[in-house]
Amino acid sequence: MSPHADPLLHTRVWWKEAVFYQVYPASFKDSNGDGWGDIPGLLSKIPYIASLGVDCVWLSPMFESPQVDMGYDISNYEAVDPSYGTVEDVERLIKVCHDNGMKLILDLVVNHTSDQHAWFKESRSSKDNPKRDWYFWRPARYDEQGNRRPPTNYRSYFAGTWDEHTQEYYLHLYDKSQPDLNWENEECRKAIYDSAMRFWLDKGIDGFRVDTVNKYSKHIDFPDAPITDPNTFVQPAAQFWCNGPRIHEFIKEMNSKVLSHYKTFDGQPVVTVGELSLTPDPEGVLSYVSARAKELDMVFQFDLTHLGQSNGFSDKYDFTEWTLPEMKQIVNKWQTFIEGTDGWTTVFNENHDNGRSVSRFADDSPQWREKSAKMLAMWLVTQTGTLFLYQGQEIGMINAPKEWPIEEYKDVESLNFWSEAVRLEENGSDPTRKSRIMNGLRLMARDHARLPFQWDSSPNAGFSSGTPWMRTHDLYKEINAASQEKDFNSVLSFYKRMLRMRKEHNDVFVYGAFELLKPEDLNTFMFKKHHQEKTALVALNFTASPQPVPSPSEDMTMLVSSYSKTSGDVLQPYEGRVYINY
C-alpha cells in the first residue's frame, strides 16, 4: 500500500467537485474606459460566470504593483492596484460571489515581492537594516582578470543585478524587479502570514491559488551549478532552488498557523491549490497533496501545458512536435497517480501562462475550431479531479492570428525571449533562432491567454469603451459570448451542458478511476472511467478525418456527443462521445 494511503480515500469535499473559473482581471472587463480590466467590470459579469455552473472564482493578482510582470510583482499585499479598483471593490466582489453561491480565491504570491515593496526598500537601504535578511544578499566574486561576477552561475538568479548602493547582489528567480523573499527568516514569514494571507482571509475569501509554491526553500549556501552549457556563464540550477530542504516545513507551518484557522463563507475548509513546477515524479507531488500531510489540497502539474516546449528554460519557445500518444501518457500519469492514496489531482489545459488549447491541441481553423473546442471540453470535464477553466475557454477563444508581428506581444517573457533570439541571430551564433522562436511564440506565448475577453460584436469586443491595453482578437465578431448565449449549438452552450453532466454524474467523472485505452493510437483518445458498478466510455477524435469508434458494451448508452448528429460507429472530425451504463 502507498505510504500516502488512507482508509477514507478521496473523501468528498466541496473543492473536489467544484468548477473553478480563473479571471485575469486586466483582460476580463473594463468598466471605466481606460482600456484596462478592473474589479467593477468583473462585478458586472458575476451573473455570467454563475450562469456557467461555476462554483469558485479564482482572481489573478490585483494587488498594488508596478505591473512589470502583470501584477506578480507586488508592492503592497494589503492594497489593490488603482488600475483595478480598491480594497472596497474586492470586499464587494467577495459578497457578490457569495450571494451568487460561489466562492472566491485570490493569488498568493510570496516567493518574491516587487523591488518597490516597502520591505525591499528597507532591505536595500543598508547592510545593517533589520530587514536586510528578509531577502538574499551576497557580495560579488571576481574572475582572474578582476571582472565582477554574480555570486552564483544560476540562470536568472543573481544574474546581473548589482545594487550600487550597498555593493552587493540580490537574489531573484524571475525578473530583476522581483527579488526573492528569504523564508529562512522567521520574522519575514510572520509578516507574510499577516500581510499576504490573514489580511484577505479576514475579509472572507475562501482560499488561495499559491504561486510558485515549491520555490520558497533554497540551498542557502548557493553552490555553483554544474556546467551543462559551456557556451554561457549561467547554468540551469533548479536543484538548488526548487523543492528545497525546508519546503515541506514551510508549507505545513503556513497551514497550521494560518489556513487551518479559517472557514469559507458556508463553513467549509478554505482551499489551496499550488503552482508546482519542476516536479515530474508522482511521489514528489504526493508529498505536497497527501491529506495526511496537511500541506496543500491540490496542485497544478504542468506536463500537459508544457507539450511542445523544448527541454530547458532557454529553449522554452523553441517548439518541438509532439504526438497524441505522448499526451495520453501525460494524462494517464496524472489521472492515475492518486489511486490508492489520500491525494488529489487537478484537471486543466489553459491558464494565463499558456496559449489557447484549441490552437495548441486541436485545430483553430474556421472549419474546425468550434468542433475542436467542444471535443476538448468533453475531454476535460470527464477527467478525475478538480476542474479549472480559464476565462474565454468556454467560448472557444483562440490564439492571436499568426500574422500579428512581435510588436503586438506585451508579455515580458515573450519580449525577453525575442530579444535574446535577435541577439543570437545577429551575432551569428544561431542564424535561425528568430524564426524558430517566433513560431513558438505564435503557439505558446502567454500573450494569447491575455487578449481581451470577447463579450460581443461591438467595438473592442465589448471589453472596453477605450483603447484596450492589448489588441482585441481580429475574430471577435465571430467568437463572442453574446452571440453564443443565444445559440443552443454554440461552444458556450455546450460547456454549460457538459458542466451539468459532470455534476450529475460526479461519482464517475469527478471521483472515478481512469483507464486509458489504445495508448499508441495516433488519432483517437479513448478512456474509461469506473466508479463501483458505474462505467463511462469517452471517445475523442483528435483529427480532421473520420475515425472508428469502439463498440460500447451492451449495457451502455450514448450520453452525449459533441455533434448534433452522430454517424454510427464512426467518429466524425474532432467529435467526442460519452457512453455510460446506469
Side-chain angles (χ1 to χ4, degrees):
M1 177 176 282
S2 163
H4 303 281
D6 189 286
L8 297 175
L9 298 181
H10 301 171
T11 303
R12 298 198 174 200
V13 188
W14 74 267
W15 45 262
K16 293 182 179 179
E17 300 176 17
V19 175
F20 286 71
Y21 185 90
Q22 182 187 359
V23 171
Y24 194 72
S27 301
F28 194 63
K29 176 63 178 174
D30 171 28
S31 70
N32 60 8
D34 66 355
W36 190 265
D38 48 44
I39 295 167
L42 168 57
L43 278 162
S44 72
K45 295 298 184 180
I46 289 297
Y48 166 83
I49 297 174
S51 75
L52 303 175
V54 166
D55 303 287
C56 186
V57 176
W58 156 23
L59 179 60
S60 290
M62 75 301 158
F63 311 100
E64 184 178 278
S65 167
Q67 300 296 331
V68 175
D69 189 21
M70 292 302 296
Y72 283 91
D73 50 321
I74 297 172
S75 54
N76 186 347
Y77 289 110
E78 300 174 29
V80 172
D81 196 83
S83 59
Y84 291 126
T86 64
V87 171
E88 291 71 28
D89 288 330
V90 177
E91 291 172 340
R92 281 193 289 274
L93 179 63
I94 294 168
K95 182 179 187 304
V96 171
C97 283
H98 292 173
D99 289 347
N100 278 269
M102 298 187 298
K103 297 178 175 66
L104 176 71
I105 66 172
L106 301 182
D107 253 81
L108 180 62
V109 186
V110 289
N111 174 71
H112 49 265
T113 67
S114 165
D115 60 358
Q116 299 305 305
H117 196 290
W119 298 346
F120 187 72
K121 288 181 178 180
E122 285 192 54
S123 183
R124 79 187 311 176
S125 65
S126 69
K127 289 183 180 179
D128 57 1
N129 186 276
K131 288 188 174 64
R132 182 67 169 184
D133 194 41
W134 285 30
Y135 297 83
F136 293 99
W137 294 91
R138 295 292 186 276
R141 59 184 179 181
Y142 295 86
D143 63 20
E144 294 176 355
Q145 289 73 42
N147 298 309
R148 189 179 69 216
R149 290 285 196 175
T152 73
N153 66 344
Y154 301 170
R155 183 178 176 98
S156 184
Y157 266 66
F158 287 116
T161 311
W162 172 253
D163 181 60
E164 193 66 35
H165 178 63
T166 57
Q167 297 286 294
E168 285 190 329
Y169 284 87
Y170 62 85
L171 174 89
H172 61 93
L173 173 56
Y174 297 96
D175 187 79
K176 65 181 181 181
S177 65
Q178 294 165 289
D180 279 45
L181 287 159
N182 180 9
W183 276 69
E184 301 284 330
N185 184 300
E186 185 177 2
E187 290 303 310
C188 178
R189 297 201 305 275
K190 288 180 180 177
I192 289 168
Y193 299 155
D194 282 340
S195 188
M197 298 180 72
R198 291 189 182 100
F199 179 85
W200 294 105
L201 287 163
D202 287 341
K203 293 185 180 300
I205 69 163
D206 302 290
F208 293 102
R209 176 265 189 185
V210 191
D211 188 63
T212 62
V213 72
N214 54 341
K215 297 175 183 175
Y216 306 157
S217 175
K218 283 94 171 170
H219 288 265
I220 58 174
D221 55 341
F222 298 110
D224 263 3
I227 297 175
T228 56
D229 183 355
N231 296 316
T232 179
F233 170 74
V234 293
Q235 302 293 322
Q239 67 270 33
F240 298 125
W241 46 255
C242 195
N243 300 314
R246 297 186 67 187
I247 190 63
H248 294 290
E249 174 192 344
F250 291 154
I251 299 175
K252 287 178 193 293
E253 181 183 271
M254 180 193 294
N255 207 322
S256 65
K257 291 194 174 182
V258 183
L259 295 164
S260 64
H261 298 276
Y262 289 88
K263 298 289 185 182
T264 64
F265 79 98
D266 54 357
Q268 303 297 311
V270 295
V271 65
T272 53
V273 52
E275 180 191 28
L276 197 76
S277 60
L278 300 168
T279 311
D281 176 47
E283 279 298 312
V285 175
L286 279 168
S287 67
Y288 288 92
V289 299
S290 165
R292 182 181 288 113
K294 292 182 168 44
E295 293 188 25
L296 300 167
D297 293 319
M298 50 190 164
V299 298
F300 296 126
Q301 207 288 336
F302 297 103
D303 284 359
L304 181 68
T305 54
H306 288 172
L307 262 178
Q309 294 180 3
S310 296
N311 293 326
F313 180 81
S314 62
D315 295 324
K316 178 177 179 179
Y317 291 114
D318 199 346
F319 177 70
T320 302
E321 294 286 347
W322 54 272
T323 65
L324 191 60
E326 291 178 67
M327 174 193 278
K328 293 179 193 179
Q329 290 305 320
I330 291 171
V331 172
N332 185 61
K333 178 181 181 180
W334 298 112
Q335 281 286 283
T336 60
F337 90 105
I338 59 171
E339 291 179 11
T341 78
D342 64 345
W344 195 242
T345 194
T346 54
V347 185
F348 68 101
N349 64 14
E350 287 194 21
N351 60 26
H352 62 293
D353 281 336
N354 292 279
R356 291 289 183 175
S357 57
V358 173
S359 301
R360 291 190 62 192
F361 304 131
D363 190 333
D364 63 6
S365 66
Q367 183 179 5
W368 301 121
R369 63 178 179 245
E370 288 189 13
K371 297 287 192 297
S372 294
K374 292 178 182 179
M375 184 271 291
L376 291 175
M378 185 175 290
W379 174 52
L380 276 185
V381 303
T382 53
Q383 290 184 46
T384 293
T386 300
L387 179 61
F388 287 79
L389 300 178
Y390 179 73
Q391 64 182 48
Q393 183 170 359
E394 76 279 7
I395 62 171
M397 285 181 65
I398 60 176
N399 280 358
K402 290 182 170 59
E403 298 76 25
W404 281 17
I406 190 64
E407 288 74 21
E408 298 293 352
Y409 289 70
K410 306 298 182 186
D411 177 42
V412 61
E413 182 177 275
S414 298
L415 298 179
N416 285 344
F417 271 89
W418 177 251
S419 297
E420 181 182 54
V422 170
R423 177 177 58 81
L424 292 175
E425 185 160 319
E426 287 178 348
N427 69 21
S429 58
D430 192 347
T432 65
R433 191 169 184 84
K434 276 172 58 179
S435 61
R436 298 198 326 269
I437 294 301
M438 195 67 225
N439 179 55
L441 291 173
R442 285 170 178 149
L443 280 170
M444 302 181 293
R446 305 195 299 187
D447 301 81
H448 300 298
R450 304 176 183 188
L451 300 186
F453 191 99
Q454 291 149 218
W455 288 107
D456 55 40
S457 60
S458 67
N460 302 322
F463 163 72
S464 175
S465 60
T467 302
W469 73 279
M470 278 195 82
R471 178 175 170 178
T472 308
H473 200 289
D474 296 353
L475 297 178
Y476 72 86
K477 292 184 178 180
E478 299 174 36
I479 306 172
N480 64 72
S483 62
Q484 293 190 26
E485 285 190 300
K486 304 170 187 174
D487 181 1
F488 178 81
N489 292 315
S490 68
V491 174
L492 177 60
S493 296
F494 188 76
Y495 257 101
K496 291 179 180 180
R497 294 196 295 276
M498 289 300 95
L499 295 181
R500 287 196 297 270
M501 180 194 77
R502 180 177 170 87
K503 291 179 186 294
E504 182 180 350
H505 300 281
N506 65 12
D507 51 355
V508 70
F509 292 133
V510 176
Y511 296 102
F514 181 93
E515 178 191 357
L516 180 63
L517 306 176
K518 298 188 174 183
E520 300 306 319
D521 190 309
L522 292 168
N523 303 311
T524 59
F525 195 151
M526 302 185 190
F527 55 90
K528 287 184 176 179
K529 298 292 298 296
H530 305 279
H531 185 268
Q532 297 177 358
E533 301 303 314
K534 194 170 185 177
T535 298
L537 169 66
V538 182
L540 308 159
N541 181 359
F542 271 73
T543 76
S545 303
Q547 301 293 333
V549 64
S551 299
S553 56
E554 291 183 0
D555 63 338
M556 281 188 155
T557 57
M558 190 171 73
L559 183 63
V560 65
S561 166
S562 59
Y563 272 64
S564 56
K565 294 182 180 179
T566 58
S567 182
D569 58 357
V570 173
L571 283 173
Q572 298 167 87
Y574 297 105
E575 180 185 3
R577 294 184 197 175
V578 178
Y579 297 87
I580 200 164
N581 68 349
Y582 288 94

